[in-house]
Amino acid sequence: KLRTSYCWCVKGTCFIIPQGVGQVLTDYIHGSTMPKLAKGLWLAVSILQFIGLCYFNYTDVGICKAVCMIWHM
């Protein structure tokens, strides 16, 4: 049961952080083209992160097991 809660914490963090960064980009980057470029760049980075996470989950031990392995070091 404890491992399940760790897994949900990791998954929750993966979904909360991109929303927070998007808000920071909206608040602190001004001008006419820079906010659009920053949001596009952040979208590209988020997509690459998701692809990397999917690759790691399907070809290796998975994110939850990896976090458990790191905590047991």
Side-chain angles (χ1 to χ4, degrees), residues 12-73:
T13 304
C14 291
F15 289 112
I16 291 170
I17 289 175
Q19 293 174 358
V21 172
Q23 190 62 41
V24 169
L25 292 175
T26 301
D27 289 343
Y28 293 108
I29 298 180
H30 303 288
S32 59
T33 58
M34 286 303 290
K36 292 177 185 175
L37 284 173
K39 286 183 180 182
L41 181 63
W42 181 246
L43 179 63
V45 168
S46 297
I47 290 170
L48 288 174
Q49 288 175 341
F50 180 71
I51 290 170
L53 181 63
C54 288
Y55 178 78
F56 184 73
N57 278 333
Y58 288 118
T59 61
D60 207 354
V61 294
I63 189 72
C64 296
K65 179 86 172 171
V67 170
C68 287
M69 290 168 63
I70 289 171
W71 282 337
H72 290 320
M73 289 173 84

